[in-house]
Amino acid sequence: MKGLLSAADLNAHEIESILDVAEEMHTIQQRPVKKLPALRGRTIVNLFFEDSTRTRTSFEIAGKWLSADTINVSAKGSSVSKGESMRDTMMTLDSMGVDAFVIRHSSSGAVAQAASWVKAQCINAGDGQHEHPTQALLDAFAMRQHFRTLGEGGSFAGKRIAIVGDLLHSRVVRSNVLLQRTLGGKVTLVAPPTLLPMGVDTWGCEVSSDFDAVLDEADIVMMLRVQRERMSGGFFPTAREYAASYGLTEERFARLSPTVGICHPGPMNRGVEISSAAADAINSLVLDQVSAGVAVRMSVLYHLLGGADEEGQL
Ligand code: ASP
């Protein structure tokens, strides 16, 4: 295996190892001096062809705290805006001796394609509607911490995870479904019929269009953003109607047990898929997910570049 392209690339042992090392990294995050020498002399390029706040910043922080040299390249401001192809950009940077690329692109499959052009390892930081494996890992980290806080141990076996919202355009849902297939969580997908991906019945999850029926059964409720930038037509009548049927409104939130963890990968559309009451609740894991993002990405970089053998095996 080269790099991390899909959540399906990881077996249970590898996931556990990433989450366990992330726990150690998380303790470093709490220290006043957050620096480890593990990746000294390694160079990581964050190559973002699409907007990002959380993912890019956390990968940059993760690399820096492990003492790697991290460089950010975005499409705007690079030769990509002069018409250079992605292949030429990648091969140019690869020739400089880069050790790893962290890549985000609006096209599904673009990161796997990029990985075939370069010697450096590639990490998928989100490719179109396809996958976002480090998001699923950080979600698993935050959920596992939540289960432990409740005194339930860290296992996902039999845990009921409802993933709700714009499934059609979401790479987060695809990576979570693949990761939970390995971890043993029981995923139920909830969306209006217009926002269900084709072939979702083959994903091995329960699928529902009735959020209220699923809500009372869940251990985790993960709300997904309505991705207006990827929508060309009318997938639902109005934001208000969407919120009434598929939003974690104040009313639905009031029905939830405080032991139910509320997740959202961000950025949130408050008042559409999630109410402020839910987003800011004591059982909201939203900021835990952000914090886990740095620790998990440190762990992934460490596994690929630090504790790895020469082939970059996890
Ligand atoms: N931040 C996540 C992603 O990049 C989720 C989202 O944008 O809604 O896929």
Side-chain angles (χ1 to χ4, degrees):
M1 195 180 85
K2 186 174 157 199
L4 178 59
L5 303 178
S6 162
D9 293 343
L10 301 169
N11 62 34
H13 168 73
E14 290 164 338
I15 298 169
E16 202 183 328
S17 175
I18 291 172
L19 298 184
D20 288 347
V21 172
E23 244 163 61
E24 287 170 42
M25 301 299 182
H26 205 241
T27 61
I28 290 157
Q29 228 174 325
Q30 326 295 330
R31 291 188 198 159
V33 178
K34 305 170 183 68
K35 206 76 167 173
L36 290 178
L39 299 188
R40 202 165 42 198
R42 303 296 220 148
T43 305
I44 302 165
V45 171
N46 289 330
L47 195 49
F48 277 61
F49 295 93
E50 203 190 50
D51 295 343
S52 169
T53 305
R54 273 153 286 268
T55 307
R56 191 171 71 177
T57 313
S58 62
F59 264 114
E60 188 179 356
I61 292 174
K64 288 201 154 94
W65 286 356
L66 291 171
S67 304
D69 294 306
T70 55
I71 291 132
N72 289 324
V73 179
S74 55
K76 288 170 217 142
S78 74
S79 293
V80 175
S81 61
K82 295 183 187 167
E84 186 175 65
S85 71
M86 182 181 176
R87 185 168 186 268
D88 284 335
T89 303
M90 296 285 313
M91 289 172 69
T92 300
L93 293 167
D94 197 46
S95 305
M96 294 180 188
V98 166
D99 294 295
F101 289 103
V102 176
I103 305 168
R104 170 166 289 191
H105 199 280
S106 56
S107 299
S108 304
V111 182
Q113 174 87 73
S116 72
W117 295 325
V118 295
K119 290 195 282 301
Q121 306 212 43
C122 292
I123 300 172
N124 184 356
D127 61 329
Q129 303 172 17
H130 180 225
E131 275 217 57
H132 194 355
T134 58
Q135 175 72 45
L137 285 164
L138 73 86
D139 292 339
F141 183 94
M143 291 187 242
R144 190 171 84 157
Q145 266 191 327
H146 175 71
F147 299 144
R148 286 193 179 147
T149 310
L150 297 174
E152 294 172 2
S155 167
F156 283 86
K159 287 282 189 292
R160 292 155 306 179
I161 304 167
I163 308 184
V164 187
D166 182 359
L167 306 178
L168 180 63
H169 300 104
S170 176
R171 50 199 174 208
V172 175
V173 71
R174 287 167 178 78
S175 288
N176 264 286
V177 166
L178 292 169
L179 202 78
Q180 287 303 330
R181 200 178 280 173
T182 308
L183 290 175
K186 203 168 157 285
V187 176
T188 302
L189 303 172
V190 185
T194 49
L195 289 173
L196 283 174
M198 284 235 298
V200 71
D201 45 318
T202 63
W203 289 14
C205 308
E206 279 184 33
V207 181
S208 171
S209 288
D210 185 351
F211 188 14
D212 289 303
V214 172
L215 197 59
D216 298 328
E217 304 292 318
D219 297 301
I220 296 284
V221 177
M222 182 184 293
M223 303 307 299
L224 298 176
R225 183 172 66 90
V226 174
Q227 303 202 19
R228 292 177 200 273
E229 79 277 21
R230 298 191 209 278
M231 291 186 186
S232 47
F235 288 88
F236 47 84
T238 62
R240 185 194 286 249
E241 281 184 59
Y242 178 87
S245 301
Y246 294 99
L248 190 52
T249 55
E250 267 186 55
E251 294 71 30
R252 288 199 179 93
F253 166 68
R255 275 174 47 202
L256 278 185
S257 154
T259 59
V260 176
I262 299 167
C263 295
H264 191 303
M268 294 185 282
N269 290 313
R270 287 174 186 255
V272 183
E273 71 267 1
I274 192 164
S275 60
S276 286
D280 304 328
I282 189 95
N283 49 328
S284 165
L285 306 183
V286 173
L287 293 178
D288 301 292
Q289 290 172 273
V290 176
S291 161
V294 177
V296 161
R297 285 164 181 139
M298 286 174 84
S299 177
V300 167
L301 292 172
Y302 176 75
H303 277 80
L304 290 172
L305 297 175
D309 63 22
E310 283 182 355
E311 296 292 305
Q313 300 276 351
L314 277 169

